Amino acid sequence: MIRRIRRLLGRKLAGCSKSLALLCFSLAAVYLYFNRSRSQFELQGVRDVWDANGVQSPEKGAACGVVCGIGQKSFYVKTGTDNTIGPTICYDGKVIISPDNNNGGRGLNILVIDIQKMEVGDVKTFDTYTDDAAFLQYMRKAPKHAVIILVTHDEITERLSNEGRQWFRLMGSYLIDNVGFRDAFVMVGQIGLEQKQAIEFHKKREHGGYSLPIEKKGCFSLPLGPLRDISQFIPKVTEMVIEKLDKCGLTTECGEDKFTAMVDTGDGDQRKPTICINGEIVLGERVNHAGRGFNVAVLSSIEKKVSTVTVFDTYEKDSSSMEVFLESLVEGDIIIAVVNDDGQRKLNTHGRDVYNQLGSSMIQNLRFRDVWYFVGKKGIKGFTSTEQISFAGYDGSWPASMKESFCLPYNFKGTDVPPTPKSKRNEARREFCKKYDGYEHLCDPAAVDETLQGVELVDRSHTNDAIYKVPIVIIPGVNHNAIVRTMETTLMQPGIKPNMVLVAYDENFPEYGELSTLFGFHNISVKASTTYEDVLNKAIEAGWNYFDVKDHIIIIEEELILAPDFLSFMQQCLSVLDSDPTILAVSGWNYNGYDVTSGDREVVYRVEEFPGLAFMLRRNVVEKYMLGKLSKCCHKRVWDHWVLTDEAGNEITGDVIVPDVSRVFHQPYQSAKDEDKHLVELFQKPRLTNVEGDMTLKNMDALSSEKYDALIQSFIENSEEFTLEHLQNCIQDPVLKVPIVAESKPNFVIFYHQKDKNDYGVLQKISRCFGLFWVPDLPPRNQFRGVIRFYYDDRNVLLVGSSSKFYKYKQETRYLLTIDNVGKS
């Protein structure tokens, strides 16, 4: 070693005289001391950095594991180990952040050094994995030229914006642009330091995992390098110009201690926004570069003049500049803000909070392309009353613009109750419409934000009516817009309880489950089937089990629109259904409910078949005759006749209550099958459906089996008759209407001849004449003991066949239609 030093000195001191040898030797010794172990460290100006292995050092007097020169400060840094062991920062001999102190965290761990005292001024952790808003906010307020010692833990880049990386560059970093997901990074920088002057190290993550830790120690003195003024990199407040607008568009003066104001949100990206204060446009199309994002004007309530106007494009840049600007305002400053085009894309959570503190109650609702105006105040208590928002369409279409002029006092106060928004946003409905196409009515942009909620009862005395405890099962078909209308009209029933409604849908249409949730209904899927009839049967059983039905259940089939009084109609029929075991169900649909063969909204009938579509069943009927047998009794569509049988297979005789005017409307049925041609007759002829509110049904006490027979007898005995003379023109040409004398009785009767109870030759002619349902090879509908009852030209009409038990009430003088006098087909 001595010989090596001697040879080295020989080279270094060659040419030195003996008189200078001692001096040269001393200088060389100092040189070697301060540059010892040069292979172990990187020298960057006036700082030394070594690889480290913990902060403990065998060197006497070492601080943070290193001995530093005069005027230098020591440091030791270590990034976190994956996401389990936290980071460490030691400064000037003191461990500030460490796993033992349990004060590090995911993201950026920072010491801020006060350059005046060279002491730790602040210790911060910013989780930039989730949001860098707090980091940006802090850096904009950090002391000028402060020294930043920074280490990472776990992950920092997920939400680290370009503006966030720019702050690293403003502290002297150049490696920050290389830092990726789960990489490790350490830096000793200084605010305003020229780029590439920071002490920094970067290590890429291992494949599929985290990087290995970075561990360094060293010394530095100030300044770390050349410093610069960074104000040029921070957005400036726009220089103000004005344009006159008399009283800001108002027609009257505001008076003392008040100011005039006008806000205009502009029109999408085609027309710029405008802010006018005290007769002067301070932001607009040609004034101070109004445009996209937040257009802000500040009015001093003390000096009573505009002090600042500026625009923050929070579509393009982070909102931290705006946040710092607003937080720097003084107590009493009035803020007028207008959002144009889009202002929410890079609006931070903290930015919304700042506006909340200034009195906003709506800023949290701002979404893509929404427009908003606001007049708030620094130090306000409560909410401003001058604020509105207009929502963009769920498809990104521009919202309706807003333009308002108003007078406000300089010392305006906040209120305890926020203003009511002129528009509302239905987020769930918007998301559904974004996800599924083809719902033209539900997703109409003009209505997509309307709340889907039940209708309250006007007459509160009906609140506890039994009908509101009856579960309702809706069974959709394949027409998705039809099911929307069914759900809408169900929800519109006064007093409806959405939690009593279940949508039982084919598993092939899962969107119906999401759709029902929008309406507040329950939903359940049933196993897919090739026929609607099979789905219907499964849905009835599923609904029965879902609600654990106590007394009744209501079934609503596909493609129905419910009348406004559907539930009220069912409620009025409920007691009759329960009191008479010969009544099996109540239906809201009338086979013969055409616009010419119905019309008395207060009348109900007993009929022998089951019209279905929208019907209410008793518990014992379902349990005895349907559950477990639906595939046999009810394998057809209900209009094709359900046959309920007992355990011995015998057909159950029983009646169903139906209205004269239907309480449901079935949308026109589309089918290409020949056997479905009768559906054209059923659903594509003009029909009458009740559109009025609650109707009080009459003669409900006459619906029991004994009394109803007496009612039919009374109608027959107190009626006028149609003769062949009345009918002959119509029979020859069904387009011709059957004439009725205005002064005649309210009831008409027609008796017709039958060879047996299944002979409907004459009835066919009569049915065609009046426009009743008639399809060859199918029996007539709405029969009750051989009588068909309907409403024609404000009269009750009864068609009585000779096989009917009511035929005995025919008087000898009454006319009888036969196949001979009506003519053969």
Side-chain angles (χ1 to χ4, degrees):
M1 175 63 75
I2 298 298
R3 285 196 296 270
R4 187 179 300 171
I5 293 174
R6 186 181 295 125
R7 287 196 295 270
L8 178 60
L9 290 176
R11 295 191 187 98
K12 298 292 184 180
L13 300 180
C16 287
S17 64
K18 290 182 179 181
S19 61
L20 297 177
L22 181 60
L23 176 60
C24 291
F25 181 84
S26 299
L27 291 174
V30 171
Y31 174 83
L32 288 173
Y33 175 78
F34 282 104
N35 291 276
R36 65 194 186 282
S37 305
R38 182 62 63 181
S39 63
Q40 301 179 44
F41 65 88
E42 176 184 356
L43 181 65
Q44 297 185 23
V46 193
R47 52 264 180 84
D48 297 325
V49 184
W50 290 268
D51 289 328
N53 184 20
V55 298
Q56 302 301 319
S57 172
E59 301 180 60
K60 186 177 181 180
C64 298
V66 65
V67 176
C68 295
I70 298 173
Q72 290 187 312
K73 292 294 184 179
S74 63
F75 71 92
Y76 165 85
V77 290
K78 183 179 181 181
T79 58
T81 303
D82 50 61
N83 63 350
T84 59
I85 302 175
T88 301
I89 300 179
C90 174
Y91 171 71
D92 198 20
K94 297 179 181 179
V95 177
I96 309 299
I97 295 176
S98 71
D100 291 340
N101 292 340
N102 195 29
N103 60 345
R106 182 174 65 183
L108 306 174
N109 296 267
I110 293 175
L111 294 190
V112 182
I113 310 301
D114 183 341
I115 62 172
Q116 302 301 322
K117 300 178 180 180
M118 290 303 292
E119 296 176 352
V120 177
D122 212 348
V123 181
K124 303 292 289 186
T125 297
F126 301 103
D127 186 1
T128 53
Y129 177 79
T130 59
D131 192 354
D132 70 350
F135 171 66
L136 295 171
Q137 184 74 14
Y138 183 84
M139 293 307 300
R140 290 191 174 279
K141 296 181 178 181
K144 184 178 181 180
H145 298 321
V147 172
I148 306 295
I149 302 177
L150 179 148
V151 300
T152 64
H153 174 48
D154 192 346
E155 155 58 15
I156 70 165
T157 62
E158 184 72 14
R159 292 292 185 272
L160 184 62
S161 63
N162 288 333
E163 188 172 356
R165 292 180 188 263
Q166 172 69 0
W167 271 106
F168 282 87
R169 300 183 198 104
L170 296 178
M171 293 186 285
S173 172
Y174 76 98
L175 294 180
I176 186 62
D177 290 332
N178 299 327
V179 178
F181 184 71
R182 288 181 176 172
D183 290 357
F185 179 71
V186 300
M187 183 189 74
V188 180
Q190 189 172 7
I191 296 177
L193 189 64
E194 290 282 356
Q195 201 168 3
K196 297 188 179 183
Q197 296 298 311
I199 301 170
E200 57 180 339
F201 297 91
H202 167 229
K203 185 175 291 185
K204 298 294 288 184
R205 69 178 176 128
E206 300 290 321
H207 179 69
Y210 294 84
S211 69
L212 295 174
I214 298 174
E215 190 173 9
K216 299 289 179 179
K217 64 183 177 181
C219 306
F220 68 88
S221 58
L222 294 183
L224 286 171
L227 297 176
R228 53 187 167 161
D229 180 9
I230 65 170
S231 61
Q232 60 182 308
F233 299 99
I234 302 176
K236 298 179 178 63
V237 174
T238 306
E239 190 174 324
M240 188 170 65
V241 295
I242 61 172
E243 189 176 284
K244 297 293 184 180
L245 177 62
D246 186 41
K247 294 190 286 291
C248 291
L250 292 169
T251 57
T252 59
E253 300 288 345
C254 283
E256 295 184 3
D257 296 323
K258 291 184 177 181
F259 65 94
T260 61
M262 184 273 285
V263 291
D264 182 350
T265 60
D267 187 8
D269 58 356
Q270 301 300 308
R271 182 169 59 85
K272 304 299 184 185
T274 303
I275 296 178
C276 176
I277 300 175
N278 281 332
E280 297 175 341
I281 295 176
V282 296
L283 273 167
E285 191 84 34
R286 300 180 300 275
V287 180
N288 294 323
H289 309 291
R292 183 174 64 189
F294 283 78
N295 298 260
V296 180
V298 178
L299 174 65
S300 171
S301 61
I302 297 175
E303 298 177 356
K304 298 183 178 180
K305 65 178 183 179
V306 177
S307 60
T308 308
V309 293
T310 185
V311 179
F312 299 97
D313 185 358
T314 51
Y315 177 85
E316 182 67 28
K317 297 180 180 179
D318 190 274
S319 64
S320 58
S321 299
M322 179 174 66
E323 295 155 25
V324 173
F325 170 75
L326 294 174
E327 289 184 332
S328 68
L329 300 176
V330 300
E331 194 85 3
D333 277 350
I334 297 170
I335 305 93
I336 301 180
V338 173
V339 167
N340 169 255
D341 193 338
D342 181 64
Q344 68 82 42
R345 182 168 177 258
K346 293 192 174 181
L347 175 62
N348 295 325
T349 300
H350 184 67
R352 298 177 191 267
D353 292 340
V354 172
Y355 277 107
N356 288 149
Q357 294 165 15
L358 297 172
S360 173
S361 60
M362 302 180 191
I363 188 65
Q364 64 269 17
N365 298 323
L366 193 70
R367 299 290 185 272
F368 179 64
R369 285 187 175 174
D370 295 345
V371 294
W372 168 82
Y373 73 76
F374 162 80
V375 180
K377 191 174 184 179
K378 184 77 170 184
I380 195 172
K381 304 296 182 184
F383 304 103
T384 178
S385 58
T386 311
E387 179 182 24
Q388 275 302 329
I389 189 169
S390 179
F391 298 123
Y394 71 91
D395 55 356
S397 57
W398 298 108
S401 60
M402 297 183 291
K403 183 177 181 180
E404 297 287 346
S405 297
F406 31 74
C407 290
L408 286 173
Y410 285 101
N411 63 341
F412 73 87
K413 309 292 184 183
T415 63
D416 294 332
V417 180
T420 301
K422 292 181 179 179
S423 58
K424 299 179 181 179
R425 188 197 303 272
N426 189 327
E427 294 286 5
R429 188 166 171 178
R430 282 170 170 256
E431 288 303 314
F432 180 89
C433 292
K434 287 180 183 178
K435 188 174 180 180
Y436 299 108
D437 295 329
Y439 287 85
E440 293 87 359
H441 174 66
L442 182 77
C443 297
D444 181 350
V448 73
D449 288 314
E450 292 179 1
T451 302
L452 299 172
Q453 60 184 14
V455 177
E456 293 187 359
L457 283 166
V458 175
D459 186 350
R460 305 298 294 176
S461 66
H462 291 288
T463 300
N464 296 319
D465 282 358
I467 198 65
Y468 302 118
K469 299 177 183 178
V470 176
I472 300 172
V473 178
I474 297 175
I475 307 167
V478 297
N479 187 332
H480 55 277
N481 281 308
I483 185 57
V484 169
R485 286 184 279 271
T486 301
M487 291 186 187
E488 283 181 331
T489 52
T490 301
L491 197 62
M492 290 169 60
Q493 298 300 308
I496 187 74
K497 290 180 171 53
N499 66 329
M500 294 302 295
V501 181
L502 173 72
V503 178
Y505 61 92
D506 186 319
E507 63 183 358
N508 285 328
F509 301 94
E511 66 195 73
Y512 290 164
E514 297 178 48
L515 180 64
S516 63
T517 301
L518 294 182
F519 287 85
F521 301 155
H522 299 286
N523 65 85
I524 189 172
S525 65
V526 298
K527 191 173 181 179
S529 179
T530 57
T531 65
Y532 177 81
E533 292 90 326
D534 193 29
V535 172
L536 175 66
N537 294 337
K538 292 173 182 176
I540 291 174
E541 291 189 343
W544 192 265
N545 295 327
Y546 188 93
F547 285 111
D548 187 22
V549 177
K550 303 300 182 185
D551 300 304
H552 310 88
I553 191 169
I554 293 174
I555 306 298
I556 299 175
E557 295 191 55
E558 64 170 341
E559 301 191 353
L560 296 183
I561 296 174
L562 276 60
D565 70 333
F566 174 80
L567 277 188
S568 173
F569 169 81
M570 290 293 177
Q571 167 62 30
Q572 294 180 71
C573 295
L574 195 58
S575 59
V576 179
L577 177 65
D578 285 342
S579 63
D580 188 343
T582 65
I583 299 177
L584 302 178
V586 178
S587 175
W589 188 68
N590 179 0
Y591 274 108
N592 287 323
Y594 300 113
D595 58 352
V596 295
T597 55
S598 65
D600 193 336
R601 292 168 170 80
E602 299 176 350
V603 168
V604 293
Y605 308 147
R606 287 177 69 123
V607 298
E608 293 174 358
E609 70 273 331
F610 196 86
L613 293 187
F615 49 93
M616 178 168 57
L617 297 165
R618 271 201 320 270
R619 177 185 176 93
N620 66 333
V621 171
V622 178
E623 288 183 331
K624 287 183 179 180
Y625 310 123
M626 299 179 72
L627 290 182
K629 305 175 183 178
L630 285 166
S631 61
K632 295 180 179 179
C633 73
C634 314
H635 62 282
K636 298 180 180 180
R637 290 306 299 262
V638 75
W639 54 69
D640 287 324
H641 193 48
W642 280 1
V643 180
L644 305 184
T645 59
D646 58 21
E647 294 181 356
N650 299 314
E651 184 173 344
I652 300 302
T653 57
D655 298 332
V656 175
I657 297 175
V658 300
D660 178 74
V661 177
S662 294
R663 263 48 181 192
V664 292
F665 173 77
H666 190 286
Q667 297 175 76
Y669 190 87
Q670 305 297 325
S671 176
K673 296 186 296 183
D674 290 339
E675 60 267 29
D676 287 347
K677 292 297 177 60
H678 67 286
L679 300 181
V680 174
E681 181 79 9
L682 274 178
F683 301 124
Q684 294 187 214
K685 286 174 58 176
R687 283 187 162 273
L688 191 61
T689 305
N690 185 44
V691 294
E692 299 181 16
D694 287 356
M695 301 292 300
T696 300
L697 304 179
K698 58 188 178 184
N699 296 327
M700 296 300 291
D701 58 346
L703 287 175
S704 64
S705 56
E706 300 84 2
K707 292 184 178 180
Y708 196 71
D709 282 3
L711 180 66
I712 297 299
Q713 177 184 348
S714 174
F715 282 162
I716 294 174
E717 293 175 344
N718 296 282
S719 64
E720 295 189 18
E721 63 177 341
F722 283 112
T723 65
L724 181 61
E725 182 182 355
H726 290 94
L727 300 177
Q728 60 185 359
N729 290 334
C730 175
I731 289 174
Q732 296 301 319
D733 185 357
V735 174
L736 299 176
K737 188 176 180 181
V738 178
I740 292 183
V741 180
E743 294 78 15
S744 59
K745 292 182 179 181
N747 303 316
F748 274 78
V749 66
I750 296 176
F751 294 98
Y752 66 92
H753 178 263
Q754 294 176 284
K755 291 182 290 185
D756 55 52
K757 67 176 184 178
N758 296 318
D759 175 18
Y760 300 118
V762 178
L763 181 60
Q764 176 184 357
K765 294 282 188 177
I766 301 171
S767 296
R768 289 179 58 197
C769 194
F770 284 99
L772 298 172
F773 173 78
W774 184 270
V775 174
D777 302 324
L778 289 178
R781 303 302 188 189
N782 279 17
Q783 289 197 91
F784 176 76
R785 314 299 186 260
V787 173
I788 294 178
R789 178 183 174 189
F790 61 97
Y791 196 75
Y792 181 83
D793 205 2
D794 296 330
R795 303 293 194 279
N796 288 304
V797 180
L798 284 82
L799 308 182
V800 183
S802 59
S803 296
S804 169
K805 73 174 189 176
F806 293 102
Y807 186 75
K808 62 185 177 182
Y809 300 114
K810 176 183 177 297
Q811 299 174 10
E812 290 293 332
T813 58
R814 290 290 172 99
Y815 194 84
L816 177 67
L817 294 180
T818 67
I819 197 68
D820 293 327
N821 58 33
V822 299
K824 298 181 180 179
S825 300

Coordinates of all heavy atoms in Angstrom, one line a residue, residues 99 578 656 805:
P99 N -41.0 2.1 9.0 CA -42.0 1.1 9.4 C -42.2 1.1 10.9 O -43.4 0.8 11.3 CB -41.4 -0.2 8.8 CG -40.6 0.2 7.7 CD -40.0 1.5 8.1
D578 N -114.6 -13.1 -2.9 CA -114.5 -13.9 -1.7 C -115.8 -14.4 -1.2 O -115.8 -15.4 -0.5 CB -113.8 -13.0 -0.6 CG -112.3 -12.8 -0.9 OD1 -111.8 -13.6 -1.7 OD2 -111.7 -11.8 -0.3
V656 N -116.5 -16.0 -14.1 CA -115.5 -14.9 -13.9 C -116.2 -13.6 -14.1 O -117.0 -13.4 -14.9 CB -114.4 -15.1 -15.0 CG1 -113.4 -13.9 -14.9 CG2 -113.6 -16.4 -14.8
K805 N -131.4 -21.3 -20.2 CA -132.4 -21.4 -19.2 C -133.2 -20.2 -19.1 O -134.3 -20.2 -18.5 CB -131.7 -21.8 -17.9 CG -131.0 -20.6 -17.2 CD -130.5 -21.0 -15.8 CE -130.0 -19.9 -15.0 NZ -129.6 -20.3 -13.6

